[in-house]
């Protein structure tokens, strides 16, 4: 199995990295958490212009019909740069659940004109950013409904604005395999975000360790710190092939097992990166003024998004026949 990206995928990743690196995304994330969506919506439009929102929409509906690997490439960059918004829901899940219900919506999804969010209990009980969505959905089992949002529920990550929802108009009863495909695709994208956030946290910790000095030396020269950072590197490197392997098997008989293995590995690696980055930075990492906390809380929230570690470990064990 080949995990290397091709030239087109590497160029796509670089284009996203350049775009988001030139934008003040942490400031947009802070504002988003406070209910000011202007900067985040500009990012939404610019990502749509690059084709990100059309990745999962078929070409005949105005999208790119991209592969799951392309989706992983994009969502790793979204996680690396802390981009706020219901991207998993609108880019990955909505094309799957709306394909048979409202094909006309796909073109608007691909252009970024239509913002969709949804709750899918029990694993995703709240709709993310329902206050800015054009369409709020509730996927309860196989029952797909439009929904009305309740009061804001604060997440540990302030840029994740969660809303309880109440079913409104019944749209369809979806087949079990469609619901499973939507969940696996969402968990895969979430795993890619975790890997991207973990990579960014490691990069920030390494850079800080090179410049922060104690006892006349850069703290990165101390062996204990080197070992801690190396452990983070190893965890991220072990998670990456599981993530791309899951992308290659998405939709196959092994999809649930591989997606859950990727989610567990990416979550563990990103969480270790968050803990280590905080230890390296010391007390400054706790301050609201420092951006580090934005990535740390993002990781904490994504670890439980679209299935907790317990849920995904159970799915892996069940697939191995040992549950």
């Amino acid at each position: 199995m080949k995990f290397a990206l091709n030239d087109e995928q590497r160029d796509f990743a670089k284009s996203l990295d350049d775009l988001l690196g030139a934008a003040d995304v942490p400031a947009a994330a802070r504002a988003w958490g406070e209910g000011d969506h202007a900067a985040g919506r500009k990012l939404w439009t610019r990502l749509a212009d690059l084709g990100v929102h059309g990745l999962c929409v078929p070409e005949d509906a105005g999208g790119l019909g991209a592969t799951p690997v392309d989706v992983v490439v994009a969502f790793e960059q979204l996680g690396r740069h802390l981009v706020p918004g219901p991207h998993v829901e609108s880019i990955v899940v909505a094309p799957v659940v709306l394909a048979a219900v409202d094909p006309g919506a796909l073109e608007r999804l691909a252009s970024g004109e239509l913002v969709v969010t949804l709750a899918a209990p029990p694993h995703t009980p709240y709709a993310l950013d329902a206050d800015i969505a054009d369409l709020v959905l509730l996927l309860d089992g196989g029952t797909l409904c439009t929904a009305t949002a309740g009061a804001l529920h604060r997440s540990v990550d302030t840029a994740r604005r969660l809303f309880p929802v109440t079913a409104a108009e019944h749209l369809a009863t979806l087949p079990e395999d469609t619901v499973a495909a939507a969940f696996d695709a969402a968990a895969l994208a979430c795993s890619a975000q975790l890997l991207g956030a973990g990579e960014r946290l490691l990069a920030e910790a390494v850079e800080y360790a090179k410049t922060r000095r104690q006892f006349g030396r850069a703290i990165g020269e101390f062996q204990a710190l080197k070992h801690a950072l190396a452990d983070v590197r190893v965890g991220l490197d072990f998670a990456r092939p599981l993530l791309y392997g899951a992308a290659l098997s998405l939709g196959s008989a092994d999809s649930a097992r591989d997606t859950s293995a990727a989610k567990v590995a990416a979550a563990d690696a990103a969480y270790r990166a968050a803990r280590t980055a905080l230890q390296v930075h010391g007390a400054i990492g706790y301050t609201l003024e420092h951006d580090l906390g934005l990535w740390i809380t993002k990781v904490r929230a994504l670890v439980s998004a679209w299935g907790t570690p317990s849920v995904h470990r159970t799915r892996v064990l069940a697939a191995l026949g040992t549950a």
Side-chain angles (χ1 to χ4, degrees), residues 235-282:
L236 293 169
D237 284 349
F238 277 18
R240 185 174 294 279
L242 287 174
L243 178 63
Y244 282 98
L248 292 173
S249 75
L250 194 68
S252 73
D254 296 327
S255 180
R257 180 198 66 188
D258 294 351
T259 300
S260 286
K263 180 74 177 356
V264 169
D268 285 352
Y271 194 62
R272 178 187 286 272
R275 288 172 58 91
T276 303
L278 183 57
Q279 289 169 342
V280 169
H281 281 77

Side-chain angles (χ1 to χ4, degrees), residues 6-72:
N6 59 36
D7 290 343
E8 188 175 350
Q9 288 163 338
R10 283 193 290 271
D11 289 344
F12 182 45
K14 185 176 186 308
S15 296
L16 288 173
D17 191 33
D18 290 345
L19 167 67
L20 298 171
D24 189 356
V25 183
R30 289 182 192 278
W32 190 277
E34 295 168 358
D36 177 2
H37 301 113
R41 291 301 297 263
K42 286 182 181 176
L43 281 174
W44 185 279
T45 301
R46 297 183 71 183
L47 289 169
D49 291 342
L50 273 181
V52 174
H53 289 261
L55 286 172
C56 300
V57 175
E59 290 183 81
D60 58 6
L64 299 179
T67 69
V69 173
D70 299 324
V71 175
V72 166

Side-chain angles (χ1 to χ4, degrees), residues 32 37 40-41 44 47 53 75 78 83-95 109 114-119 126-136 159-163 193 298 306:
W32 190 277
H37 301 113
R41 291 301 297 263
W44 185 279
L47 289 169
H53 289 261
F75 273 86
L78 297 185
V83 179
H87 294 281
V88 171
E89 291 75 8
S90 203
I91 297 173
V92 177
V93 181
L109 276 174
L114 178 66
V115 180
V116 177
T117 189
L118 84 163
Y126 297 101
L128 179 65
D129 299 316
D131 55 339
I132 59 98
D134 303 300
L135 177 61
V136 181
R160 288 177 62 84
R161 298 169 60 82
L162 306 176
F163 293 83
Q193 284 183 294
K298 176 70 71 181
W306 291 101

Side-chain angles (χ1 to χ4, degrees), residues 26 79-82 197 200-201 291-299:
R80 183 190 299 272
H81 290 282
L82 203 69
R200 180 59 177 265
L201 283 160
D291 289 342
L292 188 72
L294 299 176
W295 273 276
I296 291 173
T297 53
K298 176 70 71 181
V299 166

